[in-house]
Each structure stands twice: as C-alpha cells, then as structure tokens.
Amino acid sequence: MCGIVGYIGEEQAAPVLLEGLKRLEYRGYDSAGVAVYTGSGVQVVKSKGRLSVLEGILHEGEDLPGRVGIGHTRWATHGAPSDVNSHPQVSDGGLFAVVHNGIIENYLELKNHLKRRGVAFASDTDTEVVAQLLEYYYQGDVLDAIRQAIQRVEGSYALGVICAHCPEKVFAVRKDSPLIVGLGQGENFIASDVTAVLSHTRTICRLNDQEIAVLEQDGVRFYDRDLEPIEKTPEQVEWDVAAAEKSGYEHFMLKEIFEQPEALRKTISPRIRDGRVSLDGISLTREQIEGLSRVYIVACGTSYHVGAVAKYAFEKLLRLPIETDVASEFRYRDPVMDERSLVIIISQSGETADTLAALREAKRQGARTLAIVNVVGSTIANEADDVLYTWAGPEIAVASTKAYSTQLAVVYLIALYMAQELEALPPQELKASLKALEALPDQAEQCLSHKETIQYFASQYFNAKDIYFIGRNVDYAASLEASLKLKEISYIHSEAYTAGELKHGPISLIEEGTLVVAICTCRRLFDKMMSNIREVKARGAVVLGITTEDLRERLAQETDCQFCVPATLDFMLPSMSILPLQLFAYYAAGMKGCDIDKPRNLAKSVTVE
Ligand code: F6R
C-alpha cells in the first residue's frame, strides 16, 4: 500500500526516485510525487494519476535538479486521489516534506490541535499532520522533532522526510509498515520494498518499529525512539534485478504464472531429505505437536484461500480440528486460544495489517505461531515463533499467483511434517505423499504448456457478464481462488459456490448461456459433481469442466468443454486446477483491455485495516 523511495548521493535525485517508484507502482497507483532539495529549498512536484503523468511533467526527472529527495506512489486512504492529496505533503512554512505509508489513526485530533494553534492545512490527508507536527516541534534539530512527533501519532507509518534546513540528509522512521535502508557506495536509499533499490544495491538494513535512520551521502546512522544510537547489521538481498523485471513477458502476472514450476521446486526440494520432511529452523517440537488441541489458519485474500485448502489437507492427514479464518474477522471475533493452539499465519508480503494483528492476538493469548511468508525479514516473519519462507521471489503483479502455489506447497509440507512426527501416516503412505509433492513442479510445467487451449477459451467468454465457479471439497477451495483471480483483474462479476449449495439459492442466477466453471478433480466426489453440473445445464448454463485425464471422458458427457490437469493426491489437486484458471483470468482480462498488473482500486501489500 503506497510506495516510498528516498535518495541521497552524487546522481541527480529525480530520475533515481522515478526509477524506484516505477518498481513500486504495484503498491499504489492513483497519484505520485517527488520532493527534492534543489539548492534553494525543497521543491515538490506531484500529480494525480499514474506515475507516467509525473514522468511526463518532469521529463523523466531531468527538469528537477538536486541530489537529495524523496518520492511516493499512492493508494488513497484519506482524501480522494488528487494533486493536493498526493505525497509528498509539505508543512505550512515549507520546511518539511514528508512521504508516508500507513494510517495515522488520531490525525483528526492532531489536526484540530494544530489548527487551534494557527497551522493552516492544505489537504485531506492524514500524512499532512505529520509534516505539520514536525515543523511545530522543530527547534533546529530534526531528529528531536521526529522523536516528539512519533510520540504523538497513533497508527502505522513508514515515513521519509527531508527538511529545507538539512540539505544533506534524508530521514526515515517506521512503525507497523515496512521500510528498508539501501546502502550504496557514496549513495544511500530508503524504500518501502527492496525491489526499488535492487538496481543500485543489494545491501540493506531493515528498520524495526520506531527506529530512525539518518541518511547522508557517505553513511547512515540509526537511532532508537529515544534517540540513543543503535548498530544495525546490514544484510544481503538474494533477489536480483531480473527477478523484479518482466524479462520479455507482456505482464508481470504472466511471468509469475510461468515462474510457478521453478518457485515450487525451490520451495519444496530443499525440504524433503532421505524420504522425510525436514523443516529446518522450526522450533515446534514433537511434544508440542502431540499436545495441540486445535490449529487455526489465518490470512487474507488469496492467502486465505490457501488456508481453505489447508483445512482439508490438515483434517485428512492429522484428524485435528482446524479452523480457517479471514484475518480481519478473526482479530475481532474474540477467538479462543491457548498454549495448545497452533496458529498458522499465511502472508505473501508479511506486512498485511489484519494478518499481523491476528498474529499478535494469537501470541497475546499464548498460542504458538507459525508463519508462511514470502518476503524475508518482513514484520510477520520477524514476529512469529517460527517462519517458513516460500521461495517464490518478488511477486510484483497485484494478482497473486506464484505466492498462492508456493504457499500451498508449504502447507502440504507442514501437514506432512506433522503427520510424520505424529506417525499419523503409514510409512508407505508418507513416502507416496512426498513423491507426489516432489512431482508437482514438473506437473505444473506440463499443465502450463497447454496455455493456448485456455487462451482460446478466454476468447470465447471474455465478454461474459457473470461467471460462476463451483466445486466440492478442495475443488471448492480452488474455486474461491479462481473466482477472485478473475474478478480482480478482469472485473467480470464472479462468485464461487460449493456445488452442493447451489440449489439452496444461487441456482436462481443461472440463465441461458451463463458460464459455469466446474472444478471436478476430486474422484471421490465426481458423481456428485456430475449431478450438480446437470442441474445448471438444465437451466441453460454453458459448462467448462476442469478435471484429470482419467475422468475426461465421463466429464465430456456432461460439459461443453473440458480442460485436463495432471492427477495428484486429492488434497494437492488445487495446485493443478488453479493453473488453467489463473491463465483464464489473465487472458480474459487482457482481451477486455484491462490493466492486468495494476487492477483498479487495488494495490499490493495491504498495510491498512
Ligand atoms: C489477490 C491478492 C490478495 C492478497 C491479500 C493478502 O490476488 O493478492 O488477496 O492475497 O491481500 O496479502 P498477503 O498474502 O501479502 O498477506
């Protein structure tokens, strides 16, 4: 949610800032702006609309001199997208320019307080309050003004600050919203995501909550909230620039769909050794697993849909009660947990506000927590008792694809690990399950090689008004994700229903020509699905069936067209069935002319509630 970048060095700042913002645009894209110290003061240029509008105004940055600056790409929370609400926000006297990611929850109270003291506000944003507070507290020492300001603000923030009185410094501070410092040779950076600095440096420091960084051209100093100096150990980022570029693909989403086989390989193969699951670094003991009374799986969006599959896998393998919850509901429903509960938190970004709050609630109640995260060093990864990383590499497209696949793989690994530790599976069955898991990357490759079939199918249906996805058991869980993928990028109205539930209401939506995608990979429930397909066909639906090769002939008798995916164990089937449906969403959105990587109203990494 919103992208922040900051630069101090020998180069002209504006082009560097714009390049960084380009890599962060997936975090928000309704307006963008930069503030640069030009020699005579801080100059701000910002504009509503995509980053390209700002690039046009600045002639790729050339028009704005100066070597020190901050930039921002916005996903509006407070105040509509407009020039005046874009960041950087500037204090009344023009001393401070601020870029912000997060939400200042007590901004109205602070705004009224400052207004009563004669401060004039220009925008509707919560961010402006921070700029004004800094100027209000400033007595010649920016660090002290920051210290006082962060004592007053409540909520979440990652802030980049420049001050007209300190032309050779960039300041940064964060709480509950990510911010890193990139360390270069004679140049330093701040960014809300490492992808923004990868073309300059792979050496970074992650700021922890309420740590402050002061960047100068030749070095960076860090302080705690009381302005005590602290030492931070730099880390090397493994991702390279190519991972954050399209590499010849038309869109990041397509690139990421096709990266899935490799991402699965990286996520699975190091964790299976000598016929056993080996989860290095996990502190969860066999005794703790034996003592578990309940497992909760908590996440948002696509990651929640992974939890929906996980429920079936865990219940089947472990015979343990499992609850899967949407994080925004979980955190406020007063869930009952104790030290015998295991809470599995799933998040690609590791920063999602509701998911993070759910993790903290679980810890507060004494539950053990295990996070499945893609972004190394993210807040959720840092705070959970244990973390298992998905090795998917940076996911740039707003619509999640490779994160989903690799999260599923980690869920299978955890379920099989726990089954192995509890000896809940006969050795032959464990062996067969691990073999099936290891086969997934090749099977995914095979599945994706039939992309033309899906492309053709999308060409027939991209104009559909409504599309329904139905399935039972894990096929229903996959339907949830297929439906989300389609609606978020193609804007086609779509719903997922459990096939058995249709006749309890939703079937009234079916009319002549309505497209229903029936996922029927679960052999055990295949006949039931056939009955449900007959029900919708009898009411005029056109049905695309997704199944495995061995069931194709039977499915062909009931459906208008079919797509076959490789067979695997029941609980792993969503790893296959989702692939053609990701492609379907992608091609349908492309044919409709939608902005696939940056769908309207959305942004990657939702760091606000
Ligand atoms: C949809 C999508 C979102 C995210 C959700 C959670 O394609 O990407 O639904 O899955 O915002 O994000 P993370 O996994 O970063 O917590």
Side-chain angles (χ1 to χ4, degrees), residues 93-228:
L95 261 190
F96 286 89
V98 172
V99 288
H100 167 222
N101 184 9
I103 285 187
I104 307 300
E105 285 166 2
N106 59 341
Y107 86 103
L108 259 184
E109 176 197 322
L110 295 171
K111 189 170 181 170
N112 290 334
H113 172 83
L114 291 168
K115 271 177 155 177
R116 283 195 296 274
R117 278 155 184 79
V119 177
F121 279 77
S123 79
D124 303 321
T125 64
D126 52 341
T127 305
E128 188 182 356
V129 163
V130 179
Q132 305 285 22
L133 267 184
L134 289 172
E135 190 167 286
Y136 179 73
Y137 286 126
Y138 181 67
Q139 301 283 337
D141 182 348
V142 179
L143 260 180
D144 196 59
I146 291 177
R147 181 188 64 80
Q148 294 189 64
I150 64 175
Q151 276 177 3
R152 293 296 306 274
V153 297
E154 290 165 15
S156 58
Y157 51 82
L159 296 166
V161 177
I162 56 173
C163 171
H165 285 179
C166 293
E168 295 297 330
K169 288 187 176 74
V170 173
F171 300 85
V173 60
R174 69 147 240 169
K175 180 175 162 278
D176 292 340
S177 194
L179 200 61
I180 61 111
V181 174
L183 305 170
Q185 299 290 327
E187 56 182 5
N188 292 302
F189 306 81
I190 56 167
S192 42
D193 191 327
V194 287
T195 50
V197 302
L198 282 179
S199 60
H200 302 274
T201 179
R202 284 159 71 180
T203 309
I204 64 152
C205 286
R206 295 176 200 278
L207 285 185
N208 293 324
D209 274 356
Q210 298 195 313
E211 287 178 354
I212 304 168
V214 182
L215 284 73
E216 290 174 289
Q217 187 178 328
D218 294 318
V220 181
R221 282 170 291 126
F222 298 97
Y223 299 88
D224 69 11
R225 55 188 291 183
D226 301 317
L227 303 189
E228 289 300 324

Side-chain angles (χ1 to χ4, degrees), residues 518-536:
I519 309 184
C520 324
T521 62
C522 258
R523 172 175 283 279
R524 188 165 62 89
L525 296 166
F526 189 78
D527 290 336
K528 306 278 174 216
M529 278 301 292
M530 291 306 101
S531 307
N532 300 133
I533 289 173
R534 274 181 221 116
E535 287 160 9
V536 291

Side-chain angles (χ1 to χ4, degrees), residues 253 299-305 345-353 355-356 372 374-375 380 395 397-401 403-404 407 481 484-485 488-489 602-606:
M253 183 177 176
C300 297
T302 289
S303 300
Y304 166 73
H305 295 157
I345 296 284
I346 309 177
S347 176
Q348 186 282 129
S349 60
E351 302 290 350
T352 301
T355 313
L356 175 61
I372 302 174
N374 192 41
V375 178
I380 290 175
E395 192 179 61
V398 165
S400 180
T401 53
Y404 176 79
Q407 287 167 349
E481 175 58 8
L484 175 64
K485 235 31 1 143
E488 71 179 324
I489 59 168
L602 293 174
K604 195 93 178 158
S605 186
V606 184

